[in-house]
Amino acid sequence: MKRIALVFAFFLAIGQVFAQNSNVRKADRALESGDLQEAKTLINEAVEHEKTMNDPKTWYTRGTIYQAILNNEGYSDELVKKASESYDKVFEMVDEGDKYFTLTDLKIQELWGGFINEGSTAYSDQNYEEAVTAFEKALLVLPDDTTANLYAGVASQQMQNNEDALKYYYRLLDLDYHSEDIYGSIISIERYANKDLEKALEITRMAKEKFPDSDTFQKSEINLLIETKQVDVAKDRINDAIAKEPDNANLYFNLGYLYEQLEEPTKAEEAYLKAIELDPDYLDANFNYAVYYYNKAADLLAKARDMDLQTYKKEGKKVEKEALGYLEKSKPYFEKALEISPKELAVIETLQTVYAQLGENKKAEEMMKKADELNAGGKAKTGDQ
């Protein structure tokens, strides 16, 4: 009798396993026939039973059922979470080579991609709030997805919702996603919107470590040190660095920029020239040095323009001549900047003005033509997209 009881118990256990596996198959068939509620009931029984709860097919089927309900009934956080948690279970159970890993990954990408496309469309239509909502849906599927975080941050910033923008941008840093644009946005928001100069300085220094060759963050740090009344710190940092790397053109450029901000033009000029001497093809050094003289000329020309007739008769021509001298001095450095970067619109347009002021009309027309071609090319490219 004991043996018969054991055999009966064995077959009973086997029957339970088959019953639960049958539930998974039935759920699959109900899904295929469109009976989604029946499919949900059957699969939820299967995922709770010890005989099928550890089978990746069970969780994959559950994910596809909840995704189908989502597509059929419309969006809800709960449905997305149920589908996503089911797919996550599959990933916990199988290796990359397993077929259920591949199938699940495709379903995840389908679910996530639908929300990303929804957000991108809304963003293109300038419906930024709808865009953020869609990207948040994508983050329910893949919480650590950098794409959705990035897009949500940009859309939030477009709405001038700086608090949310920072939330997404800081999350990107936590996810080890680093880009100059992200750091630039964080610094800008902290500095100008939040008026938190110390935080802006902290992030600027983080950015400098990640992008040591970027002049942008070097200049940003200098500006912030000046603004927080740490001018001596700024000078000491640059001069100490120059003492260690006397042939580093970038350091002299930053020193020139510092002196320019402190309105010490002679020292700024010396530093920019040293940067150019060390690296003749240093675009920013050539451009800034040229702009330094261009601005002096512009100030003098404005001064002459604002003179009354009597004063102009006495001093105007002299002031204008001095201004043209500064433009002549700036010209070769603008030309060098154009040689280094032939499609840099800012250089072309400024050089066009210099040529026009100096009476070099043919060269001015050439620059105007170049600028028009670049602008037309940019518009065509934008239209194509």
Side-chain angles (χ1 to χ4, degrees):
M1 286 294 293
K2 186 176 181 181
R3 184 176 176 185
I4 291 172
L6 287 172
V7 170
F8 178 76
F10 172 76
F11 280 109
L12 180 63
I14 291 293
Q16 287 174 336
V17 172
F18 284 141
Q20 291 308 316
N21 282 332
S22 175
N23 270 358
V24 176
R25 289 193 295 273
K26 286 177 181 177
D28 246 336
R29 286 196 293 271
L31 171 62
E32 289 173 10
S33 66
D35 191 350
L36 300 180
Q37 292 307 312
E38 175 67 8
K40 184 172 79 168
T41 300
L42 289 165
I43 201 62
N44 281 333
E45 289 176 7
V47 297
E48 289 176 3
H49 196 278
E50 62 181 9
K51 300 300 181 181
T52 46
M53 67 191 305
N54 295 317
D55 185 346
K57 176 177 172 55
T58 304
W59 290 100
Y60 172 76
T61 303
R62 183 176 186 257
T64 59
I65 289 168
Y66 274 102
Q67 191 169 342
I69 295 170
L70 176 74
N71 293 335
N72 186 61
E73 296 183 359
Y75 180 82
S76 85
D77 282 2
E78 183 186 1
L79 290 172
V80 174
K81 287 175 182 176
K82 292 285 188 184
S84 298
E85 76 178 16
S86 301
Y87 294 141
D88 287 342
K89 277 280 191 183
V90 178
F91 287 141
E92 289 172 14
M93 294 176 178
V94 300
D95 296 326
E96 278 193 39
D98 190 279
K99 73 172 183 177
Y100 281 110
F101 186 100
T102 303
L103 290 170
T104 300
D105 189 51
L106 289 171
K107 296 300 287 185
I108 282 276
Q109 292 302 318
E110 177 187 312
L111 185 58
W112 169 86
F115 295 138
I116 291 292
N117 290 337
E118 180 185 331
S120 298
T121 300
Y123 186 91
S124 297
D125 293 338
Q126 299 185 357
N127 295 326
Y128 300 123
E129 191 170 352
E130 289 180 23
V132 172
T133 300
F135 297 136
E136 274 292 341
K137 294 175 186 176
L139 287 169
L140 282 177
V141 182
L142 295 173
D144 293 340
D145 175 49
T146 55
T147 301
N149 273 295
L150 174 61
Y151 291 173
V154 172
S156 296
Q157 197 171 359
Q158 287 286 357
M159 289 191 294
Q160 298 185 341
N161 184 343
N162 292 319
E163 184 179 350
D164 278 357
L166 283 180
K167 175 184 74 176
Y168 295 115
Y169 291 153
Y170 278 124
R171 190 184 292 164
L172 285 167
L173 300 190
D174 291 340
L175 292 169
D176 205 25
Y177 178 93
H178 305 280
S179 81
E180 292 188 50
D181 287 342
I182 294 303
Y183 278 104
S185 293
I186 294 173
I187 293 164
S188 177
I189 292 171
E190 295 288 19
R191 181 177 181 180
Y192 298 111
N194 294 348
K195 309 295 182 187
D196 191 340
L197 300 183
E198 290 301 329
K199 189 66 178 178
L201 187 57
E202 176 192 334
I203 300 300
T204 298
R205 286 172 173 164
M206 287 173 59
K208 275 180 61 185
E209 287 184 19
K210 293 292 180 184
F211 305 98
D213 296 329
S214 170
D215 286 337
T216 301
F217 300 121
Q218 304 277 0
K219 287 157 71 173
S220 181
E221 183 185 30
I222 290 168
N223 277 324
L224 285 162
L225 287 169
I226 293 170
E227 204 168 341
T228 54
K229 304 189 187 309
Q230 300 180 68
V231 173
D232 289 338
V233 174
K235 284 182 182 177
D236 289 345
R237 279 179 180 273
I238 297 172
N239 285 319
D240 287 348
I242 287 173
K244 293 175 185 173
E245 297 182 70
D247 295 330
N248 189 324
N250 179 261
L251 293 173
Y252 282 100
F253 171 80
N254 288 319
L255 185 62
Y257 181 78
L258 170 63
Y259 281 126
E260 194 174 343
Q261 301 309 300
L262 295 174
E263 297 183 0
E264 297 184 39
T266 304
K267 290 182 178 179
E269 181 183 2
E270 289 173 1
Y272 283 142
L273 273 176
K274 183 65 177 177
I276 294 168
E277 177 189 323
L278 290 169
D279 183 1
D281 292 330
Y282 193 159
L283 174 62
D284 287 345
N286 278 282
F287 185 70
N288 274 37
Y289 186 66
V291 167
Y292 167 73
Y293 283 110
Y294 178 88
N295 287 339
K296 288 173 79 76
D299 289 342
L300 288 170
L301 289 171
K303 179 181 175 182
R305 194 166 51 248
D306 293 340
M307 289 176 180
D308 59 56
L309 185 58
Q310 287 299 110
T311 307
Y312 182 81
K313 285 179 179 178
K314 289 180 183 177
E315 303 174 15
K317 294 295 183 184
K318 181 182 175 183
V319 171
E320 287 175 345
K321 184 177 179 182
E322 186 181 357
L324 294 179
Y326 284 131
L327 288 177
E328 282 286 0
K329 200 162 185 178
S330 74
K331 184 174 72 169
Y333 295 96
F334 279 129
E335 289 173 338
K336 180 63 178 178
L338 184 63
E339 178 189 322
I340 299 164
S341 184
K343 294 185 178 180
E344 191 71 45
L345 193 58
V347 176
I348 294 167
E349 290 178 337
T350 313
L351 194 50
Q352 176 193 333
T353 304
V354 171
Y355 285 142
Q357 289 285 354
L358 293 174
E360 300 181 33
N361 296 328
K362 187 175 180 181
K363 289 184 177 180
E365 287 172 11
E366 287 175 8
M367 292 301 107
M368 185 185 294
K369 185 179 177 183
K370 274 180 178 285
D372 289 344
E373 287 172 357
L374 281 173
N375 282 321
K379 286 174 186 174
K381 201 171 184 181
T382 304
D384 290 342
Q385 291 174 337

